[in-house]
Amino acid sequence: MSELPKGWAAATLNDLIGAGGLFFDGDWVESKDQDPDGQNRLLQLADIGDGFFADKSSRFVNDKKFSSLNCTEVTEGDVLIARMPDPLGRACLMPAIPQRCLTVVDVAVFRVGETGISNKWLMHFLNSPAVRLEIELNSSGSTRKRISRGKLGQILLPVPPLAEQIRIAAKLDELLVQVDTLKARIDAIPALLKRFRQSILAAAVSGRLTEDWRVQHSLAEWRVSTFGDEGAVSGGLTKNAKRSELTLEKPYLRVANVYANKLSLGDVTHIGLTDKEFEKTRLIAGDILIVEGNGSLEHIGRAAIWNDEIPDCSHQNHLIRWRPIGGMQPKFALYQLLSPQGRKQLVELAKSTTGLHTLSITKVSALVLPVPEEDEQIEIVRRVEQLFAFADQLETKVTSAKNRIDHLTQSILAEAFRGELVPQGPNDEPASVLLERIKAQRAAAPKAKRGRKASA
């Protein structure tokens, strides 16, 4: 451990147990011991957040089993430490809960005692990068790391004076609340941007986005058509064993390659086909690919535009291809499919009582397609792309900000760990005196008891 700030001292976790304090593993409670109507809540690893009580589990033990298993009650203010990931060693404080509580064996409990240290300071320091690294280094296990309570108790901590511990904990509480507020605001932005994009598309395909522009340019009102009338709708290749015997082989797109307004081309396979099939299914720039079937209505009909990313590429039968004719702009047609209005149509057409929701060439051909004049289609595409680019820029900034905020908590904890977060008090009692007092009072006090001896 590097040189400590003035008044600090090094001590193990075991050294910090005050008179009346405890450091124990949770209880070994099997599934057969649990009772959904029990009066005692069994805390799980999922309840232990990284600096906060997550409050996720709902398992219980009745009074009779609590007594027969000699379980130990966890009380408000206890420091709960996860001895398994994720992350390993995360700690939080036990809040006030109406039920009597106990924990599973993989949650260690540290009770500071009457004369010990600040429980809030300890919780924060256990979550700091330096201590978390020590916990990781002292863990074992090949597939899932775990630290024993014995090893946990031997970890060396830099201990500030008690008065400074209290100041550090108060400052951390203040700063981490601000960080959590920032996180909540940042986390809400992607949903707002998604709604923003949907609003743009809704305005684009309804005529609202270019209403003034259309009047200024004396363009005609829109006409109502269908995808079948404005383009050619066709299916793709059916995969079978005989295709391996064909000499002509071409790359082809599958459902896994097509997402909403995005193609994923990292894994494109090849397929055998005839010259006639290739001529029929070969993709050209401007084709729109529409997913035919999916178990989820949310993903049915997801569509993307092809821009000749891969030469001589075909597509499978579970992708329906739409190819524009005349002056129809493919991107405008794509925006119709992606818009709330288009999605509603797709879902209604694809609904099935069997649970496998499907589209077909006939259904896609029947989709309503509002058609403005070609000049207005071009202007709509330009405006949508401009607004989407703005949303993409915001999203990039949000991702960057989120990464910085995610690291901010650890930076603040590291600063506290080094003694740089709050000013030191010249009249603070040194930590060495505190540790000696804890040791002496613990030796003089009756040993605290728990229901049964905990395993390390």
Side-chain angles (χ1 to χ4, degrees), residues 45-46 48-50 80-82 84-92 127 132:
L45 280 166
I48 316 304
D50 201 344
L80 309 178
I81 310 165
M84 292 184 70
D86 201 12
L88 177 67
R90 66 191 182 277
C92 70
N127 289 322
R132 195 63 66 74

Side-chain angles (χ1 to χ4, degrees), residues 223-233 322-326 328 364-367 369 371:
R223 59 186 175 87
V224 178
S225 186
T226 64
F227 273 79
D229 288 335
E230 303 299 326
V233 186
W322 179 83
R323 179 171 292 167
I325 57 177
M328 195 70 212
V364 170
S365 297
L367 286 169
L369 179 60
V371 183

Side-chain angles (χ1 to χ4, degrees), residues 94-153:
M94 179 66 196
I97 287 182
Q99 307 102 328
R100 181 168 61 172
C101 293
L102 65 157
T103 73
V104 294
V105 71
D106 285 315
V107 176
V109 181
F110 190 99
R111 187 170 300 160
V112 298
E114 302 159 9
T115 59
I117 57 170
S118 161
N119 59 346
K120 277 193 174 184
W121 166 84
L122 177 61
M123 182 269 292
H124 286 309
F125 264 45
L126 287 169
N127 289 322
S128 66
V131 176
R132 195 63 66 74
L133 177 60
E134 282 298 312
I135 290 174
E136 181 71 25
L137 293 174
N138 283 279
S139 64
S140 59
S142 54
T143 56
R144 199 173 185 204
K145 295 290 187 180
R146 173 185 179 138
I147 187 167
S148 69
R149 181 174 51 81
K151 288 286 184 70
L152 198 55

Side-chain angles (χ1 to χ4, degrees), residues 98-409:
Q99 307 102 328
R100 181 168 61 172
C101 293
L102 65 157
T103 73
V104 294
V105 71
D106 285 315
V107 176
V109 181
F110 190 99
R111 187 170 300 160
V112 298
E114 302 159 9
T115 59
I117 57 170
S118 161
N119 59 346
K120 277 193 174 184
W121 166 84
L122 177 61
M123 182 269 292
H124 286 309
F125 264 45
L126 287 169
N127 289 322
S128 66
V131 176
R132 195 63 66 74
L133 177 60
E134 282 298 312
I135 290 174
E136 181 71 25
L137 293 174
N138 283 279
S139 64
S140 59
S142 54
T143 56
R144 199 173 185 204
K145 295 290 187 180
R146 173 185 179 138
I147 187 167
S148 69
R149 181 174 51 81
K151 288 286 184 70
L152 198 55
Q154 293 168 13
I155 286 178
L156 204 61
L157 296 174
V159 182
L162 181 57
E164 190 172 346
Q165 291 176 31
I166 294 169
R167 291 197 299 273
I168 289 172
K171 189 64 176 178
L172 285 171
D173 284 347
E174 175 191 337
L175 293 176
L176 296 181
V177 163
Q178 294 174 14
V179 172
D180 288 343
T181 301
L182 283 174
K183 279 184 179 179
R185 290 175 178 172
I186 287 290
D187 289 344
I189 293 176
L192 293 174
L193 287 175
K194 183 178 180 180
R195 290 201 293 272
F196 174 66
R197 290 187 178 97
Q198 285 296 295
S199 297
I200 292 168
L201 291 172
V205 301
S206 66
R208 297 195 309 273
L209 188 63
T210 48
E211 189 171 12
D212 293 340
W213 186 92
R214 181 169 60 253
V215 172
Q216 290 171 8
H217 289 78
S218 303
L219 296 180
E221 292 301 311
W222 295 19
R223 59 186 175 87
V224 178
S225 186
T226 64
F227 273 79
D229 288 335
E230 303 299 326
V233 186
S234 60
L237 299 165
T238 302
K239 191 175 181 181
N240 56 52
K242 292 183 179 180
R243 293 198 174 278
S244 61
E245 301 170 5
L246 299 173
T247 55
L248 182 64
E249 190 177 78
K250 296 292 182 181
Y252 83 116
L253 298 189
R254 300 162 293 147
V255 169
N257 300 121
V258 179
Y259 293 85
N261 201 24
K262 182 176 70 174
L263 293 172
S264 176
L265 303 177
D267 181 21
V268 174
T269 59
H270 288 67
I271 194 170
L273 70 173
T274 65
D275 289 328
K276 186 176 181 180
E277 286 176 325
F278 177 56
E279 193 63 34
K280 180 184 175 183
T281 61
R282 182 181 182 181
L283 296 171
I284 63 174
D287 285 348
I288 292 177
L289 294 162
I290 306 164
V291 173
E292 175 194 73
N294 194 285
S296 168
L297 283 172
E298 181 185 352
H299 296 288
I300 190 73
R302 62 179 190 250
I305 198 163
W306 179 253
N307 289 307
D308 264 349
E309 288 88 346
I310 300 172
D312 295 340
C313 193
S314 292
H315 64 99
Q316 73 169 153
N317 61 313
H318 295 303
L319 292 173
I320 296 171
R321 185 189 72 194
W322 179 83
R323 179 171 292 167
I325 57 177
M328 195 70 212
Q329 296 296 306
K331 281 193 176 180
F332 176 80
L334 177 66
Y335 295 155
Q336 170 64 20
L337 293 172
L338 298 174
S339 71
Q341 301 95 313
R343 290 296 309 157
K344 184 178 180 182
Q345 274 197 82
L346 285 164
V347 168
E348 288 301 319
L349 283 172
K351 274 183 180 177
S352 167
T353 55
T354 64
L356 180 62
H357 311 295
T358 60
L359 293 168
S360 64
I361 292 172
T362 301
K363 289 178 178 179
V364 170
S365 297
L367 286 169
V368 173
L369 179 60
V371 183
E373 290 191 29
E374 186 176 358
D375 285 349
E376 188 171 357
Q377 290 181 42
I378 293 169
E379 178 63 15
I380 287 170
V381 169
R382 186 190 70 79
R383 292 190 180 192
V384 170
E385 288 184 338
Q386 186 180 53
L387 290 168
F388 272 24
F390 173 69
D392 291 343
Q393 290 171 8
L394 282 178
E395 206 157 46
T396 300
K397 290 178 180 179
V398 167
T399 301
S400 176
K402 190 176 186 304
N403 289 335
R404 290 197 300 272
I405 290 172
D406 287 343
H407 287 93
L408 187 55
T409 296

Side-chain angles (χ1 to χ4, degrees), residues 421-435:
L421 188 65
V422 297
Q424 291 187 288
N427 299 320
D428 288 348
E429 177 187 75
S432 58
V433 177
L434 169 66
L435 294 173

